Amino acid sequence: MTQNSLGLKSPQESLSDLGAIESLRVPGKEEFRELREQPSDPQAEQELINSIEQVYFSADSFDIVKYELEKLPPVLNLQELEAYRDKLKQQQAAVSKKVADLILEKQPAYVKELERVTSLQTGLQLAAVICTNGRRHLNIAKEGFTQASLGLLANQRKRQLLIGLLKSLRTIKTLQRTDVRLSEMLEEEDYPGAIQLCLECQKAASTFKHYSCISELNSKLQDTLEQIEEQLDVALSKICKNFDINHYTKVQQAYRLLGKTQTAMDQLHMHFTQAIHNTVFQVVLGYVELCAGNTDTKFQKLQYKDLCTHVTPDSYIPCLADLCKALWEVMLSYYRTMEWHEKHDNEDTASASEGSNMIGTEETNFDRGYIKKKLEHGLTRIWQDVQLKVKTYLLGTDLSIFKYDDFIFVLDIISRLMQVGEEFCGSKSEVLQESIRKQSVNYFKNYHRTRLDELRMFLENETWELCPVKSNFSILQLHEFKFMEQSRSPSVSPSKQPVSTSSKTVTLFEQYCSGGNPFEIQANHKDEETEDVLASNGYESDEQEKSAYQEYDSDSDVPEELKRDYVDEQTGDVPVKSVSRETLKSRKKSDYSLNKVNAPILTNTTLNVIRLVGKYMQMMNILKPIAFDVIHFMSQLFDYYLYAIYTFFGRNDSVSSYTSPLTPIPVPSLWHLSFICETQPSYSLLPIRNVGVTSEKVFLAEQFEFLQPHLDAVMPAVKKPFLQQFYSQTVSTASELRKPIYWIVAGKALDYEQMLLLMANVKWDVKEIMSQHNIYVDALLKEFEQFNRRLNEVSKRVRIPLPVSNILWEHCIRLANRTIVEGYANVKKCSNEGRALMQLDFQQFLMKLEKLTDIRPIPDKEFVETYIKAYYLTENDMERWIKEHREYSTKQLTNLVNVCLGSHINKKARQKLLAAIDDIDRPKR
């Protein structure tokens, strides 16, 4: 409980309240001491104080005695009265002890305050003495001075005032003449000096504002200052098109003197926005008026959007180039403005760290932070304005009217502009990308459709003759692929870019900061580079042609140039030393390409397709956002050409079918080639087939594989699975075309029917083991020798690469072995000795065949040997063998069972085996 709740506002008040009770007196010091020394229970004492009725703590007029008497009951009880009296005494003792404690607690403060009052009284007494002495001395001074002395002082004061007035009049005279100097400084573009002078004059004028002549001067100075600000704003606007570091430094110093650096930055951004609008309008207006051929002013009243629709196709590209050049100047000025602020911010920071004016430093840091943030935000804003202006220009004309080279040049300019934007503010140029992407895709669809029609026409008229190119021919030598081996130049079309000599990445702003323009159109940008890729008559020189037709039957007759140009087929390396005779001799057996050195085999159509691919990649390289669409069209182009080759060369109903993964698609009419096929011998068509297939696979497909890293680099990450699918399912299957196409050649290369007739005349149920093979083996080997000679003859017209010759040999051997099995399956009767004769014939055939070819292992060798050995199997083993070897036809398996009948298989077993064969054949029906 607090002191107020106890009614003890002060010790004196508490004592006066208790004085109303006569029996209760204020204890003295001794009694206080006794009370404090008595043992006490604070909690019990507090409970006694809390038990005191609230009425005892009321106002001073309260009569305690009367209150207690009125509380007495009508009938008094002595014991109760004594008990109640003891209670009151206890409460009194508790209160007295509480009061004593409070008095003793405040005793030190009382003594200290009393000492302070005593000290104050002493000080007042001393002050009274000082005042008395002062008054006495003043009276003495008053009596000692005279009126003359005071007059001298007054005159001296007046003299000082007149001197000050003279200085003020001279200053006012100078201020009246400052307007002339200010005009001179403004003409000299010394804005900081003019503002400094004007501010000093205003400060001086404020000092003499009590003169009436100064009020007019103040007004004049204020007008002059406003005029300076207007001229300063005009000077600031000049920065937007042609940044001059000295000029901009003066302007910034002037604004800093005015304390308006933030305002200057706001004005600067407004001027840049206005500069972009005025620049593009004036450029387009100039070309429109030039092409209109009159001085009609109606174009000046058009909106920029409408003005762009009046640009003619002939002036479209020059106008676009000049438009981008002008916008480049604006963006370069902004870039150099940011550079200036970054440089001077660093200098200001260094100087501020040496100073001690913290308030000025904080203000400078605030202004610097505002300017930096404003400039950073302005990057995106200015680039958006540039994009919108260029987009409006692009939409003003239908780009589909341009030829491919002109369209590529337009894309190159826009790509360059987007590169500028990315370096300018890190933006991906969404506005321009979306606009140019739509137009590019539409243009490219029409272009692609036209090129497919041209390809169809080429295919319909292609005779599949060899296109003579040099042995070192590469697609990078073609004009369309120059962009792949040359770094991009900012001043020319991507197909005429000079090679970069510096490995360091330099931005366009760094490159052209001191002069030049990345959109300058050089006068020779349409000069086509010559292509030296064709060879004379398919050879690079007459000496090569003469050497190429030499015979290579002797080991000593090896041309030196062939030794020099020999390239290892496996590694692709050119040996340092000349090739050994053994190597050339072994190569003569399997690779019919010595007569043409190593020149690529391709047709005019293939060369045109490659050129078209180069143009597609050129467009994709310039405008990467349409990379997926371009690659998609390239895949269609490759699919179209691939299936056209397959349709013509890979289909022939007269030969056993060869499974191909290709899906039918519309192909061009090849009736003229069909006529050639029907009227020419099979071997005379091998050069056509070799040129067609090799041109498509060895050259076109391999070039697509060569281009895969470049395509993968420009393809968006989300679309790369499509590219991988295209290469895995289409390009990689191109090599598979050789097998079905050359299967047809192999089917007509040997007289397999004649061999079957010769085998049918052989008697296989002999009783003795023969030591001489049958004549059909010699006939078959002669067919292979004739096949080898014919390949040599064909190779004199068209080089036959090693993979092609290997496939031809493999197919012919495979067909020969299958014909042998078919001949054995036509046998009606055969003895054990006859089976041994079959093995003798086949072993003789293999021995002689291995001398003619390097193919190892011999294809389908096991196919023949396994069939011959199956004759000796028992009933159970043969049944298991039939189920495991489903590569044989039903006829071949049935004949095997029938021939074995009577020797070691009975009729019951024969029926069982025939049933097993029928079970195997049933799913095929």
Side-chain angles (χ1 to χ4, degrees):
M1 180 179 293
T2 63
Q3 184 176 349
N4 290 334
S5 64
L6 293 173
L8 303 176
K9 300 180 181 179
S10 67
Q12 292 78 4
E13 292 177 355
S14 300
L15 291 174
S16 62
D17 290 340
L18 294 174
I21 306 176
E22 295 180 355
S23 61
L24 299 177
R25 59 184 180 84
V26 179
K29 293 183 178 180
E30 294 296 331
E31 292 176 328
F32 278 137
R33 186 178 297 109
E34 292 177 358
L35 288 173
R36 292 181 58 85
E37 292 176 354
Q38 291 177 2
S40 60
D41 184 359
Q43 183 175 2
E45 292 177 355
Q46 187 64 38
E47 290 178 355
L48 285 174
I49 293 174
N50 292 340
S51 64
I52 299 174
E53 296 181 22
Q54 291 296 327
V55 69
Y56 283 96
F57 303 101
S58 60
D60 296 341
S61 59
F62 174 68
D63 191 350
I64 299 175
V65 176
K66 183 179 178 181
Y67 173 73
E68 290 295 336
L69 291 176
E70 289 178 352
K71 285 176 58 178
L72 294 176
V75 180
L76 299 176
N77 188 327
L78 181 60
Q79 293 180 350
E80 292 178 356
L81 287 176
E82 289 178 352
Y84 184 67
R85 183 192 63 184
D86 294 339
K87 178 181 179 182
L88 290 176
K89 286 182 178 181
Q90 291 176 355
Q91 291 177 346
Q92 179 191 10
V95 171
S96 299
K97 189 175 185 302
K98 185 69 174 180
V99 172
D101 291 340
L102 292 175
I103 290 173
L104 292 176
E105 181 181 348
K106 299 296 182 178
Q107 183 68 22
Y110 169 75
V111 174
K112 185 177 180 180
E113 184 66 19
L114 184 60
E115 291 176 354
R116 194 179 68 82
V117 172
T118 304
S119 177
L120 180 61
Q121 183 178 4
T122 305
L124 291 174
Q125 291 174 353
L126 180 61
V129 173
I130 292 173
C131 290
T132 302
N133 293 334
R135 287 179 180 180
R136 185 173 65 253
H137 287 106
L138 286 174
N139 289 330
I140 295 172
K142 181 177 179 182
E143 295 174 355
F145 282 101
T146 62
Q147 187 69 29
S149 300
L150 294 176
L152 289 174
L153 292 175
N155 291 334
Q156 179 64 23
R157 179 174 177 273
K158 188 179 295 184
R159 181 176 178 274
Q160 295 296 330
L161 291 174
L162 290 174
I163 292 174
L165 177 61
L166 182 60
K167 291 182 179 179
S168 300
L169 291 175
R170 289 175 178 173
T171 303
I172 292 173
K173 183 179 179 180
T174 304
L175 292 176
Q176 295 289 351
R177 297 178 179 177
T178 53
D179 57 341
V180 178
R181 180 54 185 158
L182 286 173
S183 300
E184 293 176 355
M185 297 178 76
L186 289 177
E187 290 179 0
E188 297 171 359
E189 295 186 349
D190 185 9
Y191 304 109
I195 292 176
Q196 183 69 34
L197 179 58
C198 190
L199 292 176
E200 291 176 356
C201 290
Q202 282 188 326
K203 183 178 180 180
S206 64
T207 305
F208 306 107
K209 61 183 178 181
H210 50 280
Y211 298 105
S212 58
C213 61
I214 292 299
S215 60
E216 183 180 351
L217 179 61
N218 258 331
S219 177
K220 187 177 181 180
L221 289 173
Q222 185 61 35
D223 294 340
T224 303
L225 190 60
E226 292 177 359
Q227 181 184 358
I228 293 175
E229 290 189 25
E230 291 177 0
Q231 294 191 25
L232 197 58
D233 188 61
V234 174
L236 186 65
S237 65
K238 295 179 181 179
I239 300 297
C240 300
K241 294 184 179 179
N242 186 17
F243 182 87
D244 182 83
I245 186 169
N246 295 326
H247 180 76
Y248 188 69
T249 301
K250 292 180 180 180
V251 172
Q252 281 296 320
Q253 289 176 351
Y255 274 110
R256 183 172 298 180
L257 290 173
L258 291 173
K260 295 184 177 182
T261 53
Q262 296 185 16
T263 304
M265 192 52 55
D266 296 337
Q267 288 293 109
L268 181 63
H269 281 80
M270 183 186 69
H271 288 314
F272 269 106
T273 302
Q274 189 66 29
I276 292 173
H277 174 76
N278 293 340
T279 298
V280 297
F281 187 86
Q282 290 301 323
V283 170
V284 177
L285 177 63
Y287 275 92
V288 171
E289 290 180 344
L290 180 65
C291 296
N294 54 47
T295 57
D296 193 353
T297 59
K298 67 177 183 179
F299 296 115
Q300 297 180 358
K301 300 178 182 179
L302 294 176
Q303 296 290 329
Y304 173 72
K305 180 179 180 181
D306 299 328
L307 188 65
C308 292
T309 60
H310 290 80
V311 179
T312 62
D314 293 338
S315 62
Y316 185 85
I317 294 179
C319 181
L320 176 61
D322 286 347
L323 191 68
C324 292
K325 285 165 59 178
L327 291 173
W328 161 261
E329 296 296 339
V330 176
M331 297 171 71
L332 179 62
S333 295
Y334 194 90
Y335 174 82
R336 297 188 65 186
T337 301
M338 291 194 67
E339 274 192 335
W340 186 94
H341 281 280
E342 289 177 1
K343 178 181 177 181
H344 284 75
D345 284 351
N346 295 332
E347 294 177 356
D348 293 343
T349 302
S351 60
S353 61
E354 299 174 358
S356 59
N357 189 353
M358 297 302 297
I359 298 177
T361 303
E362 291 179 359
E363 292 179 356
T364 303
N365 291 337
F366 178 78
D367 290 343
R368 189 184 302 118
Y370 177 85
I371 292 173
K372 182 179 180 181
K373 193 170 295 183
K374 189 76 174 180
L375 287 171
E376 290 175 351
H377 291 171
L379 286 171
T380 305
R381 177 183 173 185
I382 288 176
W383 175 235
Q384 289 296 329
D385 290 343
V386 170
Q387 287 188 89
L388 290 174
K389 296 300 181 184
V390 177
K391 175 185 177 182
T392 303
Y393 180 83
L394 293 175
L395 295 177
T397 303
D398 185 7
L399 298 182
S400 62
I401 64 176
F402 292 110
K403 295 181 180 179
Y404 174 80
D405 289 339
D406 292 335
F407 183 75
I408 284 293
F409 197 77
V410 171
L411 291 187
D412 185 49
I413 295 176
I414 300 303
S415 176
R416 184 86 54 221
L417 183 62
M418 289 192 293
Q419 180 184 353
V420 169
E422 186 170 354
E423 294 178 0
F424 184 68
C425 63
S427 171
K428 295 301 182 181
S429 310
E430 293 83 359
V431 176
L432 270 181
Q433 282 186 4
E434 184 62 25
S435 174
I436 199 65
R437 185 184 183 280
K438 290 181 180 179
Q439 297 199 57
S440 298
V441 171
N442 293 333
Y443 180 91
F444 196 72
K445 285 182 179 179
N446 296 329
Y447 182 80
H448 178 65
R449 190 179 299 110
T450 305
R451 300 290 80 78
L452 285 180
D453 292 339
E454 289 182 358
L455 178 59
R456 179 187 182 92
M457 180 187 67
F458 281 129
L459 290 172
E460 288 177 347
N461 296 276
E462 180 63 72
T463 58
W464 307 104
E465 292 291 336
L466 182 67
C467 179
V469 294
K470 292 187 175 183
S471 60
N472 62 347
F473 172 75
S474 169
I475 62 172
L476 298 180
Q477 298 171 350
L478 297 177
H479 172 72
E480 289 78 6
F481 289 91
K482 291 295 183 183
F483 72 94
M484 291 185 60
E485 61 180 4
Q486 298 167 343
S487 62
R488 298 193 57 184
S489 167
S491 59
V492 293
S493 180
S495 58
K496 300 91 176 174
Q497 295 151 2
V499 179
S500 175
T501 58
S502 175
S503 59
K504 179 183 178 181
T505 302
V506 180
T507 65
L508 295 175
F509 287 96
E510 294 172 345
Q511 185 175 357
Y512 295 98
C513 186
S514 58
N517 195 300
F519 298 97
E520 288 286 350
I521 304 178
Q522 295 185 357
N524 60 345
H525 78 275
K526 289 188 177 181
D527 294 343
E528 297 293 337
E529 300 179 8
T530 58
E531 293 178 346
D532 187 18
V533 296
L534 297 180
S536 175
N537 295 326
Y539 303 94
E540 298 185 30
S541 65
D542 295 337
E543 290 76 10
Q544 285 186 0
E545 182 175 4
K546 180 179 179 181
S547 300
Y549 283 96
Q550 292 181 359
E551 295 294 335
Y552 298 102
D553 293 334
S554 83
D555 294 348
S556 60
D557 195 14
V558 179
E560 291 297 326
E561 64 175 1
L562 188 57
K563 296 179 181 179
R564 293 194 304 268
D565 293 334
Y566 172 73
V567 179
D568 189 273
E569 291 288 344
Q570 299 297 325
T571 65
D573 297 330
V574 179
V576 177
K577 298 182 179 180
S578 60
V579 184
S580 65
R581 294 172 181 173
E582 289 75 10
T583 303
L584 288 175
K585 182 178 179 181
S586 62
R587 190 172 179 227
K588 182 185 69 174
K589 296 180 181 179
S590 56
D591 189 357
Y592 304 88
S593 60
L594 298 179
N595 62 325
K596 295 290 183 179
V597 196
N598 286 309
I601 299 177
L602 67 156
T603 64
N604 287 324
T605 302
T606 305
L607 194 59
N608 287 328
V609 171
I610 284 295
R611 291 184 184 274
L612 194 57
V613 170
K615 291 183 177 181
Y616 283 21
M617 292 185 62
Q618 196 176 26
M619 181 179 296
M620 178 176 58
N621 187 68
I622 294 176
L623 197 62
K624 291 180 176 58
I626 66 169
F628 172 73
D629 303 276
V630 176
I631 292 179
H632 178 67
F633 290 142
M634 285 175 59
S635 67
Q636 291 182 356
L637 187 69
F638 186 84
D639 291 343
Y640 187 83
Y641 191 50
L642 177 69
Y643 195 73
I645 297 294
Y646 169 74
T647 301
F648 177 68
F649 294 112
R651 287 185 173 181
N652 193 316
D653 296 336
S654 63
V655 184
S656 300
S657 62
Y658 190 96
T659 304
S660 173
L662 298 172
T663 304
I665 57 174
V667 294
S669 172
L670 300 174
W671 59 269
H672 68 289
L673 289 181
S674 300
F675 175 77
I676 294 176
C677 292
E678 293 172 0
T679 57
Q680 297 291 330
S682 61
Y683 274 99
S684 64
L685 291 180
L686 181 57
I688 295 178
R689 194 177 302 270
N690 182 41
V691 171
V693 178
T694 306
S695 176
E696 184 277 329
K697 194 280 165 191
V698 175
F699 188 76
L700 185 59
E702 288 182 356
Q703 301 315 310
F704 265 86
E705 293 173 356
F706 168 73
L707 297 173
Q708 184 177 4
H710 185 82
L711 297 176
D712 188 70
V714 298
M715 176 67 88
V718 295
K719 301 294 185 180
K720 286 188 178 181
F722 169 80
L723 183 65
Q724 296 172 356
Q725 181 181 5
F726 167 64
Y727 270 89
S728 62
Q729 297 184 5
T730 304
V731 177
S732 61
T733 60
S735 60
E736 299 298 324
L737 279 182
R738 282 175 167 169
K739 294 183 178 180
I741 290 175
Y742 289 111
W743 182 268
I744 298 173
V745 175
K748 296 182 178 181
L750 307 180
D751 192 351
Y752 304 103
E753 296 296 331
Q754 179 64 25
M755 187 172 64
L756 288 175
L757 293 176
L758 292 175
M759 293 179 69
N761 295 328
V762 176
K763 185 177 181 182
W764 299 103
D765 54 346
V766 294
K767 302 301 183 181
E768 297 178 357
I769 296 178
M770 307 296 293
S771 61
Q772 181 65 31
H773 62 274
N774 289 303
I775 60 173
Y776 75 87
V777 176
D778 296 329
L780 181 58
L781 290 173
K782 287 182 179 179
E783 288 287 332
F784 275 102
E785 292 174 355
Q786 181 66 18
F787 170 72
N788 193 22
R789 286 193 297 271
R790 288 173 177 174
L791 284 182
N792 278 302
E793 293 173 1
V794 172
S795 68
K796 294 179 181 180
R797 296 174 54 192
V798 178
R799 178 173 65 89
I800 302 178
L802 177 61
V804 174
S805 64
N806 287 343
I807 288 177
L808 286 171
W809 275 97
E810 181 182 344
H811 283 347
C812 288
I813 295 172
R814 193 181 303 278
L815 285 173
N817 285 335
R818 291 179 179 269
T819 302
I820 291 175
V821 172
E822 187 66 20
Y824 292 161
N826 292 332
V827 174
K828 302 299 182 182
K829 294 181 180 180
C830 182
S831 61
N832 290 337
E833 291 78 6
R835 283 293 174 183
L837 181 58
M838 290 180 182
Q839 290 182 344
L840 176 64
D841 291 344
F842 187 63
Q843 292 301 322
Q844 180 69 18
F845 169 69
L846 292 178
M847 182 180 65
K848 295 295 181 66
L849 180 64
E850 288 176 350
K851 296 180 180 180
L852 293 175
T853 180
D854 296 332
I855 299 296
R856 299 291 185 277
I858 298 297
D860 280 355
K861 174 184 176 182
E862 293 78 8
F863 184 79
V864 180
E865 292 177 342
T866 303
Y867 188 80
I868 296 175
K869 294 176 181 178
Y871 176 82
Y872 302 103
L873 297 175
T874 61
E875 174 187 345
N876 295 332
D877 292 338
M878 182 169 289
E879 182 179 2
R880 184 172 59 256
W881 183 90
I882 289 173
K883 293 179 180 179
E884 292 175 354
H885 292 77
R886 301 192 178 189
E887 65 271 19
Y888 298 101
S889 66
T890 302
K891 172 190 173 184
Q892 293 169 351
L893 295 175
T894 302
N895 178 269
L896 181 63
V897 173
N898 290 333
V899 169
C900 292
L901 179 66
S903 60
H904 55 280
I905 295 179
N906 54 34
K907 291 184 177 181
K908 183 177 179 181
R910 172 179 175 271
Q911 294 298 327
K912 182 179 179 181
L913 293 174
L914 292 177
I917 295 173
D918 187 66
D919 292 339
I920 295 173
D921 185 58
R922 187 176 293 111
K924 301 179 183 179
R925 298 173 186 172

